[in-house]
């Protein structure tokens, strides 16, 4: 039976723009220009003969038709992606797009990637370090390296290693901190994007409530906080193994015993993609690297 369908690319543009209520954000997600997104949606609207968005001066909202169409398009694209991923004997793509936090990528993954490329020169690797949780079927990401408890729906998750929390600072500042009480006299650095920070370490070390952790400087990324700590600005809660390179170089000094974090590092992907050759190769390599790093 012949199906009368609009161009598939325009449906992807519509789904992203409708979900974000923004051509600009849809363009960023799809690695296009806002103009390309706008023109693509106009093509879809012309094909349908109905407006899908109400365009204001600085606003964008779904029209009545668009609001009715969006959930059906999203569900159809999801089903199509699942069916494509699950095709038996699917030919290797030769590409691997990895989503991970920028600090982990910079401090841990990137320095080790040359060994993966040497072992698998046929796999073209790209990194996505956007500070968001990628949707594998929607964002074109193949695997993610995430911090959490592993309880994400609809993904295959393999634990890589446990994290530990430890106060760290520059060597010049370390001489001023001999015990937890001394921390009250030095600046505290915080990472706003982490689930576990000073409160978690104090509780885990048996010092809950012993320190006012509301003061200090806050950063939106672990990388910035580590650079600030290494420059002598204050003391932060380092997360090992992410901060290990700076500890090993002497730029940061641990000040106390580490505390196990409630979270861990996980390698995640869509369930149906777990045995893709590229993902299987990366998973085997990464597990071996993690094992070597913790010896």
């Amino acid at each position: 039976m012949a199906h009368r369908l609009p161009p598939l690319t325009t449906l992807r543009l519509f789904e992203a723009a409708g979900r974000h209520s923004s051509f600009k954000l849809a363009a960023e997600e799809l690695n296009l220009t806002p103009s390309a997104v706008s023109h693509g949606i106009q093509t879809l609207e012309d094909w349908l003969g109905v407006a899908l968005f109400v365009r204001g001066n600085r606003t964008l909202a779904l029209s009545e038709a668009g609001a009715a169409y969006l959930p059906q398009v999203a569900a159809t694209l999801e089903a199509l992606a699942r069916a494509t991923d699950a095709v038996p004997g699917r030919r290797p793509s030769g590409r691997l797009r990895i989503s991970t936090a920028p600090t982990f990528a910079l401090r841990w993954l990137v320095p080790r990637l040359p060994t993966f490329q040497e072992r698998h020169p046929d796999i073209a690797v790209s990194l996505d370090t956007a500070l968001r949780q990628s949707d594998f079927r929607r964002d074109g990401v193949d695997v993610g390296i995430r911090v959490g408890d592993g309880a994400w729906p609809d993904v295959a998750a393999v634990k890589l290693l446990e994290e530990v929390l430890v106060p760290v600072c520059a060597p010049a500042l370390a001489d001023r901190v001999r015990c937890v009480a001394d921390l009250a006299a030095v600046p505290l650095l915080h990472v706003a994007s982490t689930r576990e920070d000073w409160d978690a370490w104090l509780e885990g070390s048996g010092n809950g409530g012993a320190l006012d952790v509301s003061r200090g400087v806050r950063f939106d990324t672990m990388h910035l906080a580590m650079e600030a700590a290494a420059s002598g600005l204050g003391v932060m809660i380092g997360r090992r193994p992410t901060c290990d390179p700076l500890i090993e170089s002497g730029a940061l000094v641990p000040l106390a015993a580490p505390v196990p974090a409630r979270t861990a590092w996980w390698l995640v992907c869509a369930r149906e993609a777990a045995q893709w050759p590229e993902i299987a190769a990366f998973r085997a390599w990464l597990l071996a690297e993690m094992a070597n790093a913790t010896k």
Side-chain angles (χ1 to χ4, degrees):
M1 182 176 85
H3 297 282
R4 184 171 177 268
L5 299 173
L8 180 60
T9 54
T10 66
L11 295 179
R12 283 192 69 210
L13 299 177
F14 167 64
E15 189 279 332
R19 177 164 34 87
H20 289 296
S21 295
S22 167
F23 290 164
K24 181 176 181 291
L25 293 178
E28 291 175 359
E29 177 182 307
L30 299 172
N31 198 27
L32 298 170
T33 65
S35 177
V37 172
S38 177
H39 286 142
I41 289 172
Q42 186 63 59
T43 297
L44 178 60
E45 290 176 322
D46 291 343
W47 193 94
L48 293 169
V50 64
L52 298 173
F53 291 95
V54 178
R55 298 159 172 83
N57 185 25
R58 292 184 176 273
T59 62
L60 184 73
L62 287 165
S63 66
E64 183 178 351
Y69 194 35
L70 179 61
Q72 298 181 64
V73 170
T76 299
L77 291 175
E78 176 78 8
L80 183 58
R82 286 180 181 274
T84 302
D85 289 341
V87 171
R90 190 175 184 269
R91 186 178 66 184
S93 67
R95 299 184 302 274
L96 184 70
R97 187 177 182 193
I98 305 163
S99 170
T100 187
T103 303
F104 182 80
L106 178 65
R107 296 293 180 188
W108 200 96
L109 183 59
V110 169
R112 292 170 170 81
L113 267 181
T115 63
F116 178 76
Q117 292 283 247
E118 289 170 7
R119 194 171 302 174
H120 301 281
D122 55 325
I123 299 177
V125 173
S126 60
L127 290 179
D128 179 344
T129 58
L131 292 174
R132 57 178 170 77
Q133 184 169 296
S134 295
D135 183 300
F136 298 114
R137 301 175 186 90
R138 180 182 296 143
D139 297 341
V141 169
D142 300 308
V143 295
I145 301 172
R146 297 179 184 171
V147 175
D149 57 11
W152 296 285
D154 299 325
V155 300
V158 176
K159 184 183 286 189
L160 297 172
L161 84 167
E162 304 284 349
E163 276 195 312
V164 295
L165 311 176
V166 60
V168 293
C169 68
L173 189 59
D175 292 339
R176 295 168 52 187
V177 182
R178 301 297 182 183
C179 62
V180 171
D182 292 341
L183 289 168
V186 297
L188 301 183
L189 309 182
H190 305 266
V191 183
S193 58
T194 62
R195 298 184 186 180
E196 299 175 90
D197 200 52
W198 279 102
D199 283 330
W201 180 80
L202 287 167
E203 181 181 346
S205 63
N207 293 288
L211 186 68
D212 176 13
V213 297
S214 63
R215 62 186 178 83
V217 184
R218 284 166 170 76
F219 300 88
D220 61 350
T221 68
M222 182 70 66
H223 174 66
L224 285 175
M226 288 196 299
E227 291 296 326
S231 71
L233 183 61
V235 183
M236 70 172 291
I237 296 299
R239 307 176 79 93
R240 307 188 73 167
T242 306
C243 65
D244 280 355
L246 287 177
I247 292 175
E248 292 164 1
S249 71
L252 291 177
V253 177
L255 298 178
V259 169
R262 291 188 293 269
T263 55
W265 286 97
W266 300 77
L267 182 70
V268 296
C269 66
R271 292 187 186 280
E272 58 271 19
Q275 296 310 314
W276 287 2
E278 296 87 357
I279 293 178
F282 183 70
R283 179 172 58 244
W285 171 81
L286 190 58
L287 287 169
E289 287 291 320
M290 289 286 187
N292 289 334
T294 55
K295 285 181 178 178

